[in-house]
Amino acid sequence: VGCSHVADGGGVYQQYDASAVPIYNYEMEFPVTEAQFNTILQSKRGTITFSRQDGVRRSGWIESMKYNHKSNQANLIIASKQP
């Protein structure tokens, strides 16, 4: 069920096929300081823009982010509608 129309605080809900909107998960590991990690976590938007290995830029929602304090490495999973 998804909201297809909103007017004056209400909405019209209708059935839809969730598989019609595929989500692609990108996982990456990169060096980051603890301050940078905390800044990303506190982001109000929760989105991030990144470049794939082929240089194509994509954006998506942060699905999860883990920080290793010993190695200063972050593991990030981004959910995007863009392949």
Side-chain angles (χ1 to χ4, degrees):
V1 176
C3 182
S4 63
H5 178 74
V6 176
D8 299 331
V12 177
Y13 289 87
Q14 62 189 31
Q15 296 286 6
Y16 74 98
D17 180 7
S19 66
V21 183
I23 300 296
Y24 302 91
N25 285 328
Y26 293 92
E27 184 171 359
M28 57 195 74
E29 193 160 309
F30 57 95
V32 64
T33 66
E34 186 172 358
Q36 291 169 324
F37 176 77
N38 290 331
T39 298
I40 293 168
L41 285 181
Q42 294 171 6
S43 170
K44 298 203 185 301
R45 293 188 61 198
T47 61
I48 192 166
T49 300
F50 62 97
S51 294
R52 298 186 323 193
Q53 288 181 340
D54 61 3
V56 176
R57 293 177 57 85
R58 294 287 182 246
S59 62
W61 294 96
I62 298 172
E63 185 74 23
S64 73
M65 187 169 178
K66 297 177 185 173
Y67 178 63
N68 183 321
H69 294 271
K70 289 184 180 180
S71 66
N72 286 332
Q73 292 283 315
N75 178 278
L76 185 64
I77 297 176
I78 302 169
S80 176
K81 292 188 229 176
Q82 303 164 317

